Amino acid sequence: MNRIGFIATSILVALALLSSTLFVVDQRQFGVVYQLGQIKNVITEPGLNFKMPPPFQNVSYIDKRLLMLSSVDTEPMLTAEKQRVVIDWYVRWRISNPSEYIRNVGLDENAGAMQLNRVVRNAFQENINKYTVRQLISSNREELMTNVQREVLGVVKGAKPWGVDVVDVRITRVDYVEAITESVYRRMEAERKRVANELRSTGFAEGEKIRADADRQREVTVANAYRDAQKIKGDGDAQAAGIYADAFGRDPQFAQFYRSLDAYKQSFNKKNDVMVVDPASSDFFRAMRGAGAGAGSAAAAVPPAARR
């Protein structure tokens, strides 16, 4: 029984010892084998690997993927015209030589990110003051990023290489500091209001001009229409007068009688109309006066044309 326990214990110890000598390197990592605190080997290919059991040899892993570092500092920088601006940027970088990286930078990715952040910020500070705000926003943006990347590469690949590659440097935002931004917005707002008021004034003046021209055209049109109407009316009245004159000229006595009847109609067009005159001496009722008192006298007073 003791022999079986000894064998089982030996097998477990052997398995534990064997497992401590095996390690797997992921395709996204470098495997760094340390022997007594010194780098013994760097595994760059994924797969199963062997090493001596601790404490003789240990293994650590470093990310080999493309990493991104974003700016976290909002301290303003001065441009060529001494304007204070805030730059947001990011850097794409990777560890290319784990041995150099561990000797000159640190044991993990965070150490490299902290030092790279400092180098990139210094490069931006040295280059920002060569450009104006307009150039940073538009024409010279690419040139600035290229210059910063070149300076950063010069540092990380200098006398003591970091074992990293800086793939890309990009600017995501260029903006004034908050104190200046507020005044810039107020100036922009005032300028927009000035332009809007100018457009409103121009539109109002154009509207008044159009209304005045329309009123003038209306007055001219109404005046011409009234003139033409009066002319047509005058021509009609002249023709009517000519017709009346021609018709009445054939029988003057009937014409006078007809006009008297028309005058009576205009004078007594209501039941309550009253006229106090002397019918004997007034010429107005001459057509109503006859030679006698009977009907025959009244009929004799009426001209032949009226009787017809």
Side-chain angles (χ1 to χ4, degrees):
M1 191 68 178
N2 291 335
R3 184 177 179 184
I4 296 175
F6 175 76
I7 294 174
T9 303
S10 300
I11 294 174
L12 291 176
V13 171
L15 290 176
L17 184 62
L18 179 63
S19 64
S20 65
T21 62
L22 298 176
F23 66 95
V24 177
V25 176
D26 191 89
Q27 60 185 357
R28 298 167 296 178
Q29 297 173 326
F30 293 111
V32 182
V33 179
Y34 295 91
Q35 181 172 329
L36 301 178
Q38 300 295 323
I39 298 176
K40 176 64 175 179
N41 189 21
V42 175
I43 310 300
T44 59
E45 297 297 328
L48 182 64
N49 296 272
F50 296 90
K51 66 177 182 62
M52 295 176 65
F56 302 104
Q57 287 185 343
N58 296 293
V59 63
S60 65
Y61 302 96
I62 296 179
D63 202 327
K64 66 189 297 187
R65 294 174 296 179
L66 193 63
L67 306 174
M68 186 172 74
L69 172 65
S70 299
S71 60
V72 295
D73 192 0
T74 58
E75 183 180 350
M77 304 178 186
L78 292 178
T79 62
E81 69 265 58
K82 305 304 179 184
Q83 294 288 344
R84 300 172 67 201
V85 295
V86 176
I87 305 295
D88 287 345
W89 48 265
Y90 71 86
V91 175
R92 303 289 287 179
W93 65 288
R94 65 161 55 93
I95 299 173
S96 58
N97 191 322
S99 299
E100 292 181 351
Y101 181 83
I102 292 172
R103 292 189 184 98
N104 298 323
V105 180
L107 300 177
D108 55 17
E109 298 82 11
N110 292 331
M114 292 178 60
Q115 296 193 41
L116 189 61
N117 180 78
R118 175 181 53 80
V119 173
V120 174
R121 175 167 178 77
N122 292 339
F124 269 112
Q125 286 180 334
E126 292 178 4
N127 286 272
I128 287 293
N129 56 17
K130 300 177 184 178
Y131 303 95
T132 63
V133 175
R134 182 181 296 274
Q135 290 173 335
L136 292 177
I137 296 174
S138 57
S139 59
N140 295 85
R141 193 183 185 113
E142 289 290 338
E143 179 181 336
L144 171 64
M145 293 185 293
T146 301
N147 292 340
V148 170
Q149 182 177 356
R150 185 185 305 114
E151 289 193 15
V152 173
L153 285 173
V155 173
V156 301
K157 295 184 179 298
K160 298 180 70 175
W162 291 19
V164 302
D165 287 331
V166 177
V167 178
D168 196 14
V169 176
R170 289 290 159 182
I171 296 175
T172 57
R173 181 176 70 101
V174 178
D175 202 355
Y176 290 106
V177 295
E178 186 174 354
I180 299 177
T181 301
E182 187 66 25
S183 63
V184 170
Y185 286 158
R186 297 287 78 81
R187 287 202 305 270
M188 292 172 61
E189 183 180 7
E191 177 64 18
R192 292 299 93 194
K193 287 183 177 179
R194 183 191 65 79
V195 173
N197 292 333
E198 182 178 346
L199 292 175
R200 290 192 187 98
S201 300
T202 303
F204 182 77
E206 290 293 330
E208 289 296 317
K209 181 179 178 181
I210 293 171
R211 281 190 287 269
D213 185 63
D215 291 340
R216 180 187 62 79
Q217 293 182 21
R218 181 180 62 83
E219 294 295 332
V220 171
T221 302
V222 171
N224 291 336
Y226 181 77
R227 180 199 62 195
D228 295 340
Q230 290 299 111
K231 182 179 179 182
I232 294 173
K233 184 178 179 181
D235 293 341
D237 290 342
Q239 293 179 12
I243 294 171
Y244 279 124
D246 182 62
F248 293 156
R250 298 177 184 178
D251 194 343
Q253 188 178 3
F254 173 75
Q256 184 177 2
F257 175 74
Y258 182 81
R259 288 174 179 168
S260 298
L261 291 179
D262 189 58
Y264 298 154
K265 183 188 297 184
Q266 296 296 328
S267 300
F268 303 103
N269 58 356
K270 295 181 182 178
K271 293 181 179 182
N272 297 328
D273 289 342
V274 177
M275 182 178 291
V276 181
V277 295
D278 185 5
S281 61
S282 176
D283 289 340
F284 185 70
F285 291 102
R286 185 174 58 184
M288 292 185 177
R289 293 197 303 269
S297 298
V302 178
R307 289 197 297 271
R308 292 194 298 269

